């Protein structure tokens, strides 16, 4: 039995095997449960609870709580069974870990999916993969065929592809898409009304892989690495300033060297990559590390700032990053998040104002278009940041408006998309305060004309939806003109009750 | 005001189309942002404004405005276990 604290776990392969997909025989030899049946799934929620497993998709919801909430649920009229969905959509552009996991260890994910289905008595299962990720799709198809021949799966698994829209990976969007609608978050909650109206469990593929290992090795084994408050290992995607990989990284990281995982060469998704700057095209690298690893072990200097938690995460100054660990307890108070484990190091040559503006514009464009504060707020924020990129300073200082809009937009959408956008912008207002102020007073500087750094997906046409329109704002007339202020009564007569 | 009677306003952001009747009828509790969408301050509805709050809820053309018991504020977003 291997040392409990040894890594990698999720990305492990049989001794002597190469970096490719771990097939069913290899998986069983390494860590697979001999048979997936109700006994194997008994007590899954309790095991997840003792292990302290939290979702690895970004929201970090306690997995045991989700499983228990659904264990008591029953489909409408007791005719429909529950459904389980493995979410490998990975619409976060800065993240590659789900693709790498699916291509490397599909059987771990599929075991976790089966165990969750057995534990809940679900009879329908899906696995969602990104559209166009050929290597991932191939690995999943081969793995499902192997499992069919071996008779391993009690519940048949269907494969669904998800378009590369940012909100499409959100669990309600996924359910909506599986129900035949557009991939946007609806008001319905999957654990009450999900696929075909049945209560549905949606879990990130990495979470399911951890669940399979917990079922095989036990909760204490899971806790042997990581932090007592946030235990286990996690997959991270690091872009830029990768120790030992990027030529520009100077000095060795302190502490233990990071555990290198499987490179993403086989499973990359083509992005519209920017023309190479001094550091070349940024290339993401995926590795498995203990939760709570110091960030300085993952990202070598020098860098200008670190974006932690993906494109809707938070910027950290080098000093803050040097003192922080990959832990929600460290990163959330700093205005960032662990998210799906995506870290992007901004090189010295990039313009932080330009990059923040590009990100904000992209986030605004990725709105599902359902909620006014998100559609109009993120758009206004993006336009304000864009006004700082011109050679001359903007006529009107956009920073006070920016701060006000950030305060007004967060929490007023149906999903967390505007909150993520605001988090990223607020962190930029803090970390890049001097740069933003300089741009507001003097316009763009020399380095603003450098090539863009952050890879952004090609812009897709907007979803064909009713676009949120402020009808009230468009109206003129006595109601608008006589709008009351500060608690005074309006023209519409309100007779006393 | 007993805790049981306390009510809070909530808005379904998908249904809301910024018609603005709620802000007209209840300006004490509902303001509008730069794009006409309602801003709530989150306070429970004081007893003297309850009838006006109910009237505002009834007036909303898209049924986006809701009044719910303060302890279980009408949640229009799934609990994600995370705070922005």
């Amino acid at each position: 039995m291997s040392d409990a604290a040894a890594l990698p776990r999720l990305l492990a392969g049989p001794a002597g095997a190469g970096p490719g997909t771990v097939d069913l025989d290899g998986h069983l030899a390494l860590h697979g449960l001999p048979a997936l049946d109700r006994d194997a799934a008994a007590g899954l929620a309790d095991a997840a609870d003792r292990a302290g497993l939290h979702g690895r998709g970004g929201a970090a919801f306690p997995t045991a709580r989700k499983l228990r909430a659904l264990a008591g649920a029953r489909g409408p009229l007791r005719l429909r069974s529950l459904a389980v969905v493995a979410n490998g959509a990975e619409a976060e552009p800065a993240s590659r870990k789900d693709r790498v996991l699916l291509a490397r260890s599909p059987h771990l994910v599929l075991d976790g999916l089966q165990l969750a289905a057995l534990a809940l008595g679900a009879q329908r299962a899906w696995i969602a993969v990104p559209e166009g990720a050929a290597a991932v799709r191939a690995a999943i198809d081969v793995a499902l065929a192997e499992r069919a021949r071996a008779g391993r799966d009690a519940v048949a698994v269907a494969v669904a592809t998800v378009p590369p829209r940012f909100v499409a990976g959100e669990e309600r969007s996924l359910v909506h898409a599986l129900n035949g609608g557009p991939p946007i978050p609806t008001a319905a909650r999957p654990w009450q009304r999900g696929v075909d109206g049945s209560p549905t469990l949606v879990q990130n593929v990495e979470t399911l892989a951890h669940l399979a290992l917990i079922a095989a090795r036990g909760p204490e084994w899971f806790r042997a690495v990581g932090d007592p408050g946030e235990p286990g290992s996690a997959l991270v995607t690091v872009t830029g300033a990768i120790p030992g990989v990027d030529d520009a990284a100077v000095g060795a990281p302190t502490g233990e060297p990071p555990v290198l995982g499987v490179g993403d060469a086989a499973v990359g998704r083509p992005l519209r990559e920017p023309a190479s700057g001094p550091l070349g095209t940024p290339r993401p690298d995926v590795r498995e590390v203990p939760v709570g690893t110091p960030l300085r072990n993952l990202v070598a200097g020098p860098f200008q700032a670190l974006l932690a938690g993906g494109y809707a995460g938070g910027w950290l100054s080098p000093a803050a990053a040097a003192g922080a660990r990959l832990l929600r307890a460290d990163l959330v108070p700093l205005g960032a998040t662990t998210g799906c484990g995506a870290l992007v190091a901004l090189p010295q040559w990039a313009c932080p104002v330009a990059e923040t503006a590009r990100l904000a514009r992209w986030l605004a464009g990725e709105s599902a278009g359902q909620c006014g504060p998100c559609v109009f707020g993120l758009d206004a924020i993006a336009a304000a940041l864009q006004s700082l990129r011109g050679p001359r300073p903007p006529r009107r200082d956009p920073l006070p408006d920016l701060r006000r809009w950030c305060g007004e937009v967060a929490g007023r959408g149906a999903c967390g998309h505007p909150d993520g956008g605001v988090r990223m912008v607020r962190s930029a207002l803090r970390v890049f305060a001097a740069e933003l102020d300089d741009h507001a007073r003097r316009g763009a500087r020399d380095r603003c004309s450098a090539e863009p750094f952050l890879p952004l997906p090609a812009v897709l046409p907007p979803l064909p939806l009713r676009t949120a329109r402020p009808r009230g704002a468009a109206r003129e007339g006595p109601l608008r003109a006589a709008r009351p202020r500060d608690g005074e009564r309006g023209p519409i007569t309100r007779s006393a009750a | 005001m007993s805790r049981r009677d306390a009510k809070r306003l909530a808005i379904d952001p998908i249904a809301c189309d910024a018609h603005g009747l709620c802000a007209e009828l209840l300006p004490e509790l509902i303001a509008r942002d730069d794009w006409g969408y309602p801003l709530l301050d989150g306070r429970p509805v004081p007893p003297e404004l309850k009838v006006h709050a109910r009237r505002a809820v009834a007036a909303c053309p898209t049924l986006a405005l809701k009044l719910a018991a303060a302890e279980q504020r009408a949640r229009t977003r799934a609990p994600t276990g995370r705070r922005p």
Side-chain angles (χ1 to χ4, degrees), chain A residues 330-346:
Chain A
D330 277 12
L331 294 178
V332 171
L334 289 171
T337 183
T338 47
C340 57
L343 301 168
V344 185
L346 189 71

Side-chain angles (χ1 to χ4, degrees), chain A residues 108-122:
Chain A
L108 261 183
V109 175
L110 293 168
D111 272 6
L113 185 59
Q114 284 298 311
L115 288 166
L118 288 166
L120 298 175

Side-chain angles (χ1 to χ4, degrees), chain A residues 58-61 172 185-187 189 191 328 332 370-373 376-377 380 404-405 408-409 411-416 419 423 466 468-473 475 479-480 482-484 487-495 497, chain B residues 11-40 48-56 59 61-62 73-84:
Chain A
F61 198 80
R172 287 172 296 162
T186 58
R189 299 158 200 172
W191 56 92
R328 288 174 53 76
V332 171
Q370 301 188 103
C371 306
F376 295 99
R404 181 169 57 85
W405 289 330
E408 287 178 354
V409 165
R412 292 174 63 220
C415 76
D419 301 3
R423 171 173 51 216
R466 168 182 70 90
R469 263 193 331 276
R471 295 200 196 133
R475 243 179 341 155
L479 285 178
R480 275 298 289 166
R483 195 174 75 178
E488 69 184 20
R489 291 268 183 112
I492 299 174
T493 305
R494 297 191 308 187
S495 51
Chain B
I11 287 163
D12 175 355
I14 296 177
C16 177
D17 243 354
H19 288 274
L21 276 81
C22 59
E24 295 281 4
L25 289 171
L26 198 56
E28 296 89 342
L29 298 180
I30 303 179
R32 298 176 81 179
D33 66 16
D34 289 16
W35 309 284
Y37 288 84
L39 280 167
L40 305 176
E48 66 274 14
L49 290 177
K50 269 220 193 122
V51 67
H52 297 296
R54 281 198 285 271
R55 193 168 294 160
T62 60
R73 174 174 24 171
R75 257 208 314 243
T76 57
R77 268 181 55 197
T80 60
R82 123 193 95 130
R83 293 288 167 262

Side-chain angles (χ1 to χ4, degrees), chain A residues 29-277:
Chain A
L30 252 187
H31 39 223
L33 291 161
L36 300 177
D37 51 26
R38 293 207 82 115
D39 290 336
L44 194 68
D46 291 338
D49 195 13
R50 286 202 312 279
L53 177 65
H54 284 61
R56 295 284 196 255
F61 198 80
T63 307
R65 205 190 303 176
K66 249 193 199 181
L67 288 169
R68 285 178 178 142
L70 275 143
R74 286 294 174 265
L77 304 179
R78 295 190 66 96
L79 293 178
R80 291 183 181 281
S81 68
L82 280 61
V84 293
V85 179
N87 187 355
E90 195 165 52
E92 164 64 63
S95 180
R96 285 283 182 282
K97 56 116 176 160
D98 289 340
R99 287 167 174 76
V100 167
L101 178 66
L102 287 169
R104 171 67 166 174
S105 312
H107 290 290
L108 261 183
V109 175
L110 293 168
D111 272 6
L113 185 59
Q114 284 298 311
L115 288 166
L118 288 166
L120 298 175
Q123 278 160 35
R124 288 166 301 147
W126 281 266
I127 179 159
V129 299
E131 211 171 73
V136 170
R137 185 61 196 261
I140 291 291
D141 286 343
V142 166
L144 285 173
E146 285 181 307
R147 295 167 82 89
R149 279 195 300 275
R152 187 165 175 83
D153 286 346
V155 180
V157 178
V159 183
T161 52
V162 181
R165 294 192 181 271
F166 196 49
V167 291
E170 202 258 1
E171 64 176 9
R172 287 172 296 162
S173 302
L174 199 51
V175 164
H176 201 201
L178 288 172
N179 280 337
I184 51 167
T186 58
R189 299 158 200 172
W191 56 92
Q192 289 173 340
R193 195 159 53 86
V195 182
D196 294 337
S198 305
T200 302
L201 175 77
V202 182
Q203 294 283 176
N204 177 261
V205 291
E206 187 191 335
T207 314
L208 290 171
H210 284 296
L211 206 53
L213 287 177
I214 290 169
R217 308 285 190 103
E220 286 68 35
W221 172 89
F222 181 78
R223 300 190 77 102
V225 303
D227 182 84
E230 299 175 38
S233 63
L235 297 178
V236 298
T237 311
V238 182
T239 305
I242 298 170
V245 174
D246 274 330
D247 294 335
V250 293
T254 59
E256 292 137 351
V259 180
L260 288 176
V262 178
D264 71 332
V267 298
R269 164 177 97 175
L271 294 179
R272 183 180 61 80
E273 291 179 339
S276 53

